[in-house]
């Protein structure tokens, strides 16, 4: 039934800096990843997405690339990369890299040359505008990491360049065909090396509304959220279609778009039959409750809201394509800390969250440590925080009148550092991540939550993830779980998240009690088989099942 080779795959995301350090410098590296490939295989993943490992000053942890053709020495060498691709192949694991092409680093040679000669070839690789003294900036957009998107071009008093992220991440000018050619050449160079594909960073931002103009201010800084510009931007499809035709299609590569702010009617165009990408992430639950004012104004999601977000996305996509389903990634807090009410955080609730997410229609992406049930890290002071967006949000909260204690609480809730703490391998010092000093603090709970403990324990979160991912591959159930339709059931029942996956010959019910109170459910015609249960028992009486606190079951019906 497979139409495309990637449709039945599960992807494991590695944040290389925090995964496994082979040489004791406190930074994870490619050799470390190679040494753990067997464990990723055993988990049941078929592809690995590596967050960026290209040369970078790491102003935004590698999402600021200074050389697209080289591996940053902190992560290893090109030989290591070739070895990783080859060792992955031996195990049937494809490697996906991060494609960061909305912007590069201000230390990239293109940008250096643009500074030398803003009117020359490389000046046109960026958005550079002349602003004379006393004149106003070309537009009032606020960068994602705070402050104006405009920054003085080094060496020029009257020139400014655009950066929608950090000022060390100048935006590349996609309107320029010469720049696009350079990007495609680079993508093809990597694909020729044997990559399975790319995860495509921040891609919706490559199309700007030109000529630059203001939007109504939404904070008292007089600036406006970039999303206001994105709503109006038209014509991104020309760039994305070209990239697909010149790079991804000829290589039959997998491509996963990081796409925020897509318009509903554009979904098929993005990931339908001949879409720009194989798939794109569903961020509906992640962005729930977000506010353009900042993290301090965000609402915390409830289990019912989580369910509604998932179902809303599933309805929008239907069978028009495959979304990628995530619980967390390197930009989000740990999913178990975010989606499960704090007082109910335990192995059962963690397994429940895994069940309802992994069984959705689409491609499951598992972020490193998610399979262990890794949690947010306690943050006590802003000095402990590395992430640039957390540091900005801390200031934003203070400016909005929050006390430093409140601001820290807010940052702890949402900080990207939560997901970036070192992987917890075992209970020895530094969680076995490094023999040196880890670049970011290890979560103090590593003595309980770690790979070694969980690997031995058949009831651990890790063992449960293995069963879940194996179920997707089970010849009996696979067609239903991969291609089957998804129909929400008992949607109006508080604390219940349940849905049916159906194919021609089979129906599977995923039913979860996302609450502490027991909940009775009655699958219409009963069930024939328990495919998975996150608790040891299933209580049943005359066709009525009573789900215990945070119980999740997968039943063939
Ligand atoms: C994406 C990345 C994030 C990065 C940003 C800028 O959202 O996932 O980590 O900061 O793009 O590249
Ligand atoms: Ca290292």
């Amino acid at each position: 039934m497979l139409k495309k080779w990637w449709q039945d795959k599960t992807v494991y995301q590695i944040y290389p800096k925090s995964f496994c350090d082979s040489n004791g410098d406190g930074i994870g590296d490619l050799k470390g990843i190679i040494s753990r490939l067997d464990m990723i295989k055993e988990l049941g993943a078929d592809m690995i997405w590596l967050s960026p490992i290209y040369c970078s000053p790491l102003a935004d942890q590698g999402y600021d690339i200074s050389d697209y053709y080289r591996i940053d020495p902190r992560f290893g060498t090109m030989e290591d990369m070739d070895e990783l691709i080859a060792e992955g192949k031996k195990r049937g694991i494809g490697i996906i890299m991060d494609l960061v092409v909305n912007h590069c680093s201000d230390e990239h040679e293109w940008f250096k040359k643009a500074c030398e000669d803003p009117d020359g070839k490389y000046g046109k690789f960026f958005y550079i505008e002349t602003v004379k003294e006393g004149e106003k900036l070309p537009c009032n957009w606020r960068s994602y990491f705070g402050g104006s998107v405009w920054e003085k071009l080094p060496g020029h008093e009257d020139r400014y360049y655009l950066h929608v992220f950090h000022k060390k991440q100048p935006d590349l000018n996609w309107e320029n065909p010469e720049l696009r050619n350079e990007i495609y050449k680079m993508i093809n160079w990597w694909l020729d090396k044997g990559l399975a594909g790319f995860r495509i960073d921040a891609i919706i931002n490559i199309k700007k509304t030109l000529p630059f103009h203001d939007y109504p201010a939404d904070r008292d800084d007089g600036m406006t959220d970039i999303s206001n510009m994105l709503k109006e931007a038209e014509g991104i499809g020309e760039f994305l279609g070209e990239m697909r035709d010149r790079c991804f299609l000829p290589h039959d590569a997998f491509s996963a778009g990081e796409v925020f702010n897509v318009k509903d009617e554009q979904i098929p165009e993005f990931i339908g039959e001949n879409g720009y990408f194989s798939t794109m992430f569903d961020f509906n639950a992640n962005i729930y409750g977000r506010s353009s004012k900042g993290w301090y104004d965000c609402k915390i999601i409830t289990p019912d809201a989580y369910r509604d977000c998932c179902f809303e996305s599933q309805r929008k996509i239907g069978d028009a394509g495959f979304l990628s389903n995530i619980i967390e990634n390197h930009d989000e807090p740990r999913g178990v800390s975010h989606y499960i009410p704090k007082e109910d955080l335990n192995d059962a609730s963690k397994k429940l969250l895994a069940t309802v997410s992994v069984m959705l229609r689409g491609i499951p992406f598992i972020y490193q440590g998610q399979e262990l049930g890794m949690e947010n890290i306690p943050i006590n002071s802003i000095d402990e925080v590395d992430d640039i967006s957390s540091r900005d949000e801390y200031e934003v909260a203070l400016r909005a009148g929050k006390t430093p204690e409140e601001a820290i609480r807010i940052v702890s809730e949402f900080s990207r550092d939560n997901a970036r703490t070192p992987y917890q391998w075992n209970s020895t010092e530094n969680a076995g991540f490094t023999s040196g000093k880890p670049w970011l603090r290890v979560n103090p709970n590593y003595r309980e939550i770690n790979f070694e403990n969980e690997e031995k324990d058949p009831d651990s979160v890790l063992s449960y993830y293995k069963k879940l991912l194996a179920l997707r591959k089970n010849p009996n159930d696979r067609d239903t779980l991969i291609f089957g339709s998804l129909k929400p059931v008992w949607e109006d029942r508080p604390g219940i998240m349940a849905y049916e996956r159906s194919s021609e010959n089979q129906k599977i019910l995923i039913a979860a009690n996302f609450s502490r109170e027991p909940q009775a459910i009655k699958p219409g015609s009963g069930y024939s088989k328990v495919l998975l249960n996150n608790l040891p028992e299933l209580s049943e009486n005359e066709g009525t099942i009573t789900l215990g606190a945070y119980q999740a079951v997968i039943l063939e019906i």
Side-chain angles (χ1 to χ4, degrees):
M1 240 178 107
L2 272 192
K3 283 201 205 140
K4 306 269 169 62
W5 64 267
W6 45 263
Q7 285 171 329
D8 61 344
K9 303 291 182 254
T10 294
V11 186
Y12 187 75
Q13 182 190 353
I14 291 187
Y15 195 68
K17 202 173 179 189
S18 302
F19 189 60
C20 179
D21 175 20
S22 72
N23 61 354
D25 65 356
I27 294 181
D29 44 51
L30 289 173
K31 281 206 158 59
I33 297 173
I34 295 169
S35 73
R36 303 294 180 165
L37 281 174
D38 288 332
M39 154 242 151
I40 297 167
K41 180 75 195 169
E42 269 161 44
L43 173 64
D46 315 284
M47 290 200 261
I48 293 176
W49 153 27
L50 296 179
S51 276
I53 48 168
Y54 313 86
C55 278
S56 163
L58 305 191
D60 185 22
Q61 296 303 356
Y63 285 89
D64 48 320
I65 297 171
S66 55
D67 189 339
Y68 288 99
Y69 291 93
R70 280 173 49 217
I71 303 292
D72 194 288
R74 280 167 282 208
F75 297 125
T77 62
M78 195 56 82
E79 286 70 54
D80 296 336
M81 187 61 199
D82 291 335
E83 189 183 334
L84 175 62
I85 297 174
E87 288 297 318
K89 258 198 194 119
K90 276 190 207 160
R91 295 167 176 82
I93 295 180
I95 306 293
I96 304 170
M97 285 176 88
D98 219 306
L99 185 63
V100 188
V101 289
N102 172 68
H103 46 268
C104 60
S105 161
D106 65 343
E107 297 181 31
H108 193 287
E109 70 162 337
W110 295 339
F111 192 73
K112 290 188 193 156
K113 289 187 179 154
C115 293
E116 277 161 27
D117 179 12
D119 299 313
K121 170 174 169 177
Y122 292 101
K124 299 191 180 65
F125 275 32
F126 299 91
Y127 294 98
I128 297 176
E129 298 282 318
T130 304
V131 183
K132 295 257 156 51
E133 209 172 315
E135 278 179 6
K136 124 184 202 326
L137 292 171
C139 65
N140 69 339
W141 310 347
R142 183 187 308 107
S143 79
Y144 288 105
F145 297 150
S148 167
V149 294
W150 293 101
E151 186 73 20
K152 226 173 231 177
L153 191 70
H156 303 267
E157 274 312 302
D158 60 350
R159 301 285 184 116
Y160 283 74
Y161 70 93
L162 178 91
H163 61 91
V164 303
F165 291 92
H166 192 257
K167 64 179 180 208
K168 284 186 71 64
Q169 296 169 297
D171 279 53
L172 292 165
N173 181 0
W174 274 71
E175 305 291 335
N176 177 355
E178 247 187 302
L179 175 271
R180 299 205 299 276
N181 279 336
E182 282 294 335
I183 302 275
Y184 304 151
K185 194 174 91 189
M186 179 272 291
I187 297 176
N188 286 327
W189 184 85
W190 279 107
L191 289 174
D192 288 342
K193 261 184 170 302
L195 285 188
F198 284 101
R199 173 266 187 182
I200 301 142
D201 185 71
I203 196 68
I204 203 81
N205 298 285
I206 62 174
K207 187 76 198 183
K208 276 78 177 170
T209 49
L210 298 173
F212 293 112
H213 55 270
D214 287 359
Y215 293 90
D218 52 20
R219 292 187 198 168
D220 53 16
D221 59 7
M223 289 187 258
T224 193
D225 199 88
I226 301 275
S227 59
N228 294 321
M229 177 284 279
L230 294 177
K231 261 180 235 146
E232 204 185 279
E234 301 269 353
I236 192 172
E238 271 168 54
F239 301 155
L240 299 181
E242 187 180 72
M243 175 161 60
R244 171 197 58 206
D245 295 343
R246 303 231 340 235
C247 308
F248 305 144
L249 270 189
H251 285 91
D252 196 13
F254 175 74
S255 54
E258 188 203 24
V259 184
F260 286 96
N261 305 93
V262 71
K263 298 161 189 136
D264 288 355
E265 64 278 11
Q266 279 186 309
I267 296 177
E269 201 181 307
F270 272 67
I271 56 168
E273 193 55 45
N274 184 34
Y276 306 134
F277 304 124
S278 314
T279 175
M280 63 186 183
F281 295 99
D282 175 19
F283 292 119
N284 209 24
N286 305 81
I287 59 173
Y288 174 90
R290 292 265 166 104
S291 157
S292 64
K293 291 188 188 151
W295 289 352
Y296 75 88
D297 192 46
C298 289
K299 267 197 297 215
I300 300 285
I301 192 166
T302 61
D304 289 343
Y306 174 77
R307 170 197 62 206
D308 296 346
C309 286
C310 293
F311 289 165
E312 185 182 37
S313 300
Q314 291 283 331
R315 284 203 169 94
K316 272 187 200 159
I317 186 76
D319 60 4
F322 280 72
L323 287 170
S324 285
N325 300 308
I326 64 163
I327 290 179
E328 65 214 36
N329 65 25
H330 65 291
D331 291 330
E332 301 293 331
R334 287 290 177 178
V336 294
S337 303
H338 189 64
Y339 296 116
I340 300 169
K342 295 209 169 22
E343 57 288 5
D344 294 344
L345 186 55
N346 54 41
D347 278 7
S349 56
K350 289 176 180 182
K351 292 174 190 170
L352 172 142
L353 188 62
T355 312
V356 294
S357 170
V358 170
M359 291 293 121
L360 289 170
R361 193 173 182 285
I363 312 281
F365 273 64
I366 313 289
Y367 177 72
Q368 66 180 47
Q370 177 186 326
E371 75 281 14
L372 305 179
M374 277 180 66
E375 300 171 4
N376 281 355
I377 185 168
I379 299 176
N380 302 307
S381 137
I382 195 66
D383 300 331
E384 294 170 350
V385 175
D386 168 82
D387 167 36
I388 44 180
S389 80
S390 306
R391 290 176 158 271
D392 172 59
E393 293 285 352
Y394 179 75
E395 297 300 325
V396 169
L398 291 181
R399 277 201 297 276
K402 301 285 170 195
T403 65
E405 293 72 38
E406 286 166 334
I408 274 296
R409 194 190 44 75
I410 290 156
V411 165
S412 320
E413 204 69 61
F414 296 103
S415 177
R416 306 197 295 180
D417 277 2
N418 284 312
R420 299 178 179 185
T421 63
Y423 192 91
Q424 293 163 207
W425 289 105
N426 56 40
S427 56
T428 66
E429 210 185 342
N430 299 324
F433 160 71
T434 178
S435 57
K437 185 176 180 306
W439 74 276
L440 189 65
R441 285 180 307 146
V442 174
N443 194 315
N445 65 16
Y446 72 92
R447 284 182 216 279
E448 296 82 56
I449 301 177
N450 66 60
F451 177 80
E452 219 172 84
N453 280 353
E454 296 197 27
E455 205 194 14
K456 286 188 293 225
D457 174 2
D459 292 326
S460 66
V461 175
L462 174 63
S463 299
Y464 189 79
Y465 262 96
K466 288 184 188 169
K467 289 182 206 155
L468 262 180
L469 298 181
L471 187 57
R472 268 177 61 87
K473 292 204 167 74
N474 189 339
N476 265 330
D477 311 307
R478 130 182 216 287
D479 275 352
T480 311
L481 293 175
I482 290 158
F483 299 99
S485 60
L486 182 146
K487 189 177 112 210
V489 282
W490 307 307
E491 243 179 304
D492 49 356
R493 287 191 50 184
I496 293 275
M497 177 163 177
Y499 50 91
E500 275 172 20
R501 303 289 318 270
S502 324
S503 59
E504 237 169 81
N505 311 314
Q506 194 190 26
K507 246 189 198 171
I508 295 178
L509 172 71
I510 292 91
N513 174 9
F514 213 146
S515 84
R516 249 190 248 177
E517 310 311 321
Q519 304 250 19
I521 55 165
K522 201 165 171 154
S525 45
Y527 67 90
S528 55
K529 202 159 138 202
V530 181
L531 299 176
L532 201 59
N533 179 359
N534 72 338
L535 297 185
E537 311 282 343
L538 183 61
S539 142
E540 196 205 336
N541 188 5
E542 290 176 13
T544 296
I545 294 175
T546 304
L547 295 174
Y550 289 94
Q551 182 160 27
V553 286
I554 305 179
L555 306 173
E556 186 168 345
I557 58 173

